[in-house]
């Protein structure tokens, strides 16, 4: 393992994490829900009657965040270092996988871990391991 | 009021993703690439997010109502089952391919990245596929 200190951004990472945590906390304290983005998208798709409007508003806030950001500062870099065609299998796997797992990075690795949920700990370990493994195969075995 | 808190919560969450670097796939992949030039930044994103929400989440667990007086909708499932493990492993493969997970996918939709639309359509298709699979294999 070799740490790339030139790319390490501890302060913005920590501050960004604090904002994510604040958003998740506000949503839990005031709306009584888990800020799990895959679950929120799914309940909108399935038009579940429970809290549909407030869920849509939460996702609306998430959606316009870059517009609000760009009022004050240029948007942070976006760099996709892989072939665009990979977005299709990636999206499909993330869609099916997060439904079977009832959660993604936000629901399990942030909210679930903060709730000290065993399910979320297992989920986080599984998707971290398979993400690291997948990237390892692509970058260091296949040499893409 | 609950719509105001919903909008603010979503906005804070989205601004956090942008500030943290989660909306840059190259940065996310650099975190996942532990065998290459590793960028540990995103571990601090998790640390910050969990650190802030630990107490509110624990407090919410002990309440019967939200601060606004509405009912709670927290997960009730406790069992670690094959669906959780299988789903998480699939999700991780998808995440490792491009470095994009659902939150950043929403936050990137309006920032003019055409490629994200392709991911988002596939994500929704995948969620639809899940419903078909559930009907075909109901015991799974």
């Amino acid at each position: 393992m070799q740490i790339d200190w030139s790319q390490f951004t501890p302060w913005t990472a920590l501050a960004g994490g604090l904002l994510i945590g604040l958003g998740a906390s506000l949503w839990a304290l005031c709306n009584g829900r888990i800020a799990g983005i895959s679950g929120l998208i799914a309940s909108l798709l399935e038009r579940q009657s429970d809290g549909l409007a407030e869920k849509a508003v939460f996702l609306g806030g998430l959606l316009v965040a870059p517009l609000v950001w760009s009022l004050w500062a240029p948007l942070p870099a976006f760099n996709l270092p892989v072939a665009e065609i990979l977005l299709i299998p990636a999206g499909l796997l993330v869609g099916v996988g997060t439904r079977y797992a009832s959660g993604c990075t936000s629901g399990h690795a942030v909210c679930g871990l903060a709730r000290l949920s065993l399910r979320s700990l297992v989920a986080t370990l599984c998707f971290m391991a398979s993400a690291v493994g997948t990237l390892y195969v692509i970058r260091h075995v296949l040499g893409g | 009021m609950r719509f105001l808190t919903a909008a603010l919560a979503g906005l804070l969450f989205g601004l956090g993703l942008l500030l943290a670097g989660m909306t840059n796939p190259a940065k996310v992949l650099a975190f996942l690439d532990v065998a290459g030039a590793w960028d540990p930044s995103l571990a601090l994103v998790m640390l910050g997010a969990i650190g802030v929400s630990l107490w509110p989440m624990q407090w919410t667990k002990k309440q019967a109502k939200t601060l606004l007086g509405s009912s709670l909708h927290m997960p009730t499932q406790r069992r670690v089952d094959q669906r959780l493990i299988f789903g998480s492993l699939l999700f991780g493969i998808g995440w490792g391919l491009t470095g994009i997970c659902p939150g950043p996918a929403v936050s990137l939709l309006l920032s003019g990245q055409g490629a994200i639309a392709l991911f988002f359509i596939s994500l929704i298709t995948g969620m639809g596929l899940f419903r078909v699979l559930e009907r075909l294999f109901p015991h799974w």
Side-chain angles (χ1 to χ4, degrees):
Chain A
M1 183 182 289
Q2 199 178 353
I3 296 184
D4 185 358
W5 294 110
S6 67
Q7 297 297 316
F8 186 46
T9 51
W11 301 114
T12 50
L14 208 53
L18 294 181
L19 286 180
I20 294 170
L22 276 179
S25 300
L26 185 66
W27 182 238
L29 291 172
C30 295
N31 298 74
R33 296 177 191 281
I34 292 289
I37 311 304
S38 60
L40 291 170
I41 295 172
S43 51
L44 248 63
L45 287 177
E46 295 167 11
R47 291 185 191 78
Q48 291 167 0
S49 52
D50 166 52
L52 192 61
E54 60 188 298
K55 288 177 183 173
V57 171
F58 178 96
L59 285 178
L62 190 62
L63 188 69
V64 300
L67 305 181
V68 174
W69 175 292
S70 60
L71 294 176
W72 285 283
L75 282 173
F78 173 86
N79 178 15
L80 183 69
V82 299
E84 283 194 8
I85 193 77
L86 283 177
L87 290 164
I88 297 173
L92 289 171
L93 286 163
V94 172
V96 176
T98 55
R99 292 325 298 136
Y100 270 109
S102 308
C104 57
T105 6
S106 48
H108 282 311
V110 175
C111 299
L113 291 185
R115 298 177 77 245
L116 307 177
S117 148
L118 176 65
R119 268 176 63 85
S120 290
L121 178 63
V122 171
T124 304
L125 292 174
C126 286
F127 65 68
M128 285 285 181
S130 70
V132 165
T134 301
L135 192 65
Y136 181 83
V137 170
I138 291 176
R139 286 201 176 163
H140 305 288
V141 179
L142 303 173
Chain B
M1 190 63 187
R2 65 196 168 101
F3 292 110
L4 193 68
T5 55
L8 191 59
L11 187 63
L12 283 171
F13 202 100
L15 293 175
L17 290 177
L18 286 160
L19 183 61
M22 291 295 296
T23 53
N24 186 2
K27 179 119 186 132
V28 176
L29 291 177
F31 169 68
L32 296 172
D33 189 10
V34 293
W38 190 49
D39 174 1
S41 307
L42 297 199
L44 292 173
V45 179
M46 274 182 69
L47 195 73
I50 295 169
V52 168
S53 46
L54 194 61
W55 181 80
M57 293 295 178
Q58 293 308 313
W59 187 82
T60 306
K61 267 187 181 176
K62 291 178 226 130
Q63 307 303 311
K65 296 268 179 207
T66 66
L67 288 179
L68 300 180
S70 55
S71 48
L72 293 164
H73 307 269
M74 290 296 174
T76 49
Q77 248 177 306
R78 291 280 173 274
R79 210 163 64 89
V80 173
D81 54 14
Q82 57 189 19
R83 286 167 63 98
L84 179 78
I85 292 170
F86 166 75
S88 297
L89 291 173
L90 279 190
F91 163 46
I93 296 172
W95 191 32
L97 283 177
T98 61
I100 305 171
C101 57
V106 174
S107 280
L108 283 164
L109 266 180
L110 289 186
S111 60
Q113 308 296 345
I116 293 300
L118 195 60
F119 179 88
F120 203 78
I121 293 166
S122 309
L123 172 80
I124 288 172
T125 309
M127 288 182 171
L129 190 62
F130 162 76
R131 299 191 74 187
V132 176
L133 288 171
E134 269 224 310
R135 229 164 288 156
L136 291 175
F137 311 101
H139 300 296
W140 227 83

